[in-house]
Amino acid sequence: MDRASIGAERRPIPPFGLVGRRGASLRWTDEGVRPCASCGDNTGADQLNARIAAMPKSSATARARKIKLILFDVDGVLTDGKIWIFPAPGGAQSGAQQSVLEKSAQPGGQGGFGLRSTSLIEAKGFHAHDGTAISLARLAGIKTGIITKRISETVALRARDLKIDHVYQGIQDKASVVARILEKDGITAAEAAFVGDDVIDLPAMRKCGLAIAVKNARPEVKAEAHWATSHAGGDGAARDAVEYILKAQGKWKQAVEEYISERS
């Protein structure tokens, strides 16, 4: 057997699937697979190299397994986005009876806004399923928080009722508050999730390891989200987000059992 034949026998055989598509030809070299310049169309080689070079992105489920903190927008996420304004019963309050809303609506330099009136009341509706979700997250050892541009006494009352860990109202720059919370809790961005619905939420969503859009979020928000809820904002979207994360971490069943036993 001549020397050329021996070399041919020792040359590694290309693994299955390396033949280019659409009749494209590849040639095997000591450096790996290379397109054959004299063989015409090399689309197959280009596709192969692209597949080799591409790094797989973390799936939403993989991201969810790392979460220790879930942050929510309020209007359009914990509510359906509608804002109801009613006359305050019994007329205007006196200065000595200034409401929580009036106090919290003082300008804080954050770019937020709220209804400054002692004769009117701003009301929002919250879904009971979302309230249960906050409790389930707490039982599973996951902290929760809200970051919203508006200032509302209704939100402050709901947050206290649900024992939400972080409450920031009147916030225009949500991303900076996310960074502050991460530092305070001593966790990384990869361990935080943000649930949003509109473009003002995008900077905060980009800051977190898991970005979640509600079902009726704006297209720009859905385009950048890692996962979307099956329910709309104010209609169980927060419950979807919490349930998804807890199931990814294998904590869902235990959290539900503890929740039921607490109320038995």
Side-chain angles (χ1 to χ4, degrees):
M1 184 178 297
D2 58 25
R3 187 172 300 177
S5 300
I6 295 174
E9 287 181 355
R10 292 180 179 178
R11 182 171 297 170
I13 299 173
F16 178 77
L18 292 187
V19 177
R21 297 179 181 177
R22 299 177 185 174
S25 300
L26 309 178
R27 60 187 178 86
W28 185 268
T29 70
D30 293 338
E31 297 177 350
V33 179
R34 291 292 182 269
C36 178
S38 61
C39 298
D41 182 17
N42 287 306
T43 303
D46 293 339
Q47 291 177 341
L48 175 65
N49 290 331
R51 287 199 299 272
I52 294 174
M55 294 295 291
K57 294 182 179 179
S58 297
S59 69
T61 303
R63 292 172 180 271
R65 294 192 188 105
K66 303 176 183 179
I67 300 304
K68 297 180 180 179
L69 168 70
I70 310 174
L71 300 171
F72 303 90
D73 175 37
V74 175
D75 297 305
V77 173
L78 295 181
T79 78
D80 63 5
K82 296 184 180 69
I83 299 171
W84 302 93
I85 299 175
F86 302 101
Q93 299 175 350
S94 66
Q97 296 175 317
Q98 188 181 36
S99 68
V100 175
L101 169 61
E102 184 78 356
K103 293 176 182 178
S104 65
Q106 303 299 327
Q110 292 289 339
F113 57 87
L115 178 66
R116 295 194 183 100
S117 173
T118 54
S119 61
L120 298 173
I121 295 176
E122 178 178 307
K124 305 173 189 283
F126 300 93
H127 203 293
H129 290 180
D130 292 341
T132 300
I134 300 298
S135 298
L136 290 168
R138 184 171 61 255
L139 289 171
I142 294 178
K143 290 186 175 183
T144 56
I146 57 176
I147 306 176
T148 177
K149 184 175 180 179
R150 291 190 66 82
I151 302 169
S152 169
E153 182 176 9
T154 305
V155 172
L157 294 171
R158 181 62 169 165
R160 285 200 297 270
D161 179 48
L162 296 177
K163 300 177 183 178
I164 292 177
D165 298 285
H166 303 283
V167 181
Y168 289 85
Q169 296 197 69
I171 305 299
Q172 171 73 26
D173 182 5
K174 297 185 180 185
S176 66
V177 173
V178 170
R180 194 185 316 167
I181 294 173
L182 295 179
E183 183 177 1
K184 181 179 179 181
D185 284 1
I187 63 176
T188 66
E191 296 170 320
F194 193 95
V195 187
D197 73 304
D198 211 340
V199 292
I200 193 175
D201 299 319
L202 286 175
M205 293 172 69
R206 293 165 182 161
K207 196 81 174 177
C208 295
L210 177 61
I212 298 177
V214 298
K215 179 181 179 180
N216 58 330
R218 307 311 297 176
E220 298 90 342
V221 177
K222 285 186 174 182
E224 295 199 35
H226 300 114
W227 189 75
T229 66
S230 58
H231 290 82
D235 193 33
R239 174 63 170 269
D240 289 345
V242 170
E243 186 170 335
Y244 178 73
I245 290 169
L246 295 191
K247 285 183 176 178
Q249 297 181 1
K251 298 179 178 179
W252 174 251
K253 290 184 178 180
Q254 183 176 348
V256 169
E257 289 175 1
E258 290 183 22
Y259 179 81
I260 293 173
S261 64
E262 278 188 354
R263 286 152 180 79
S264 300

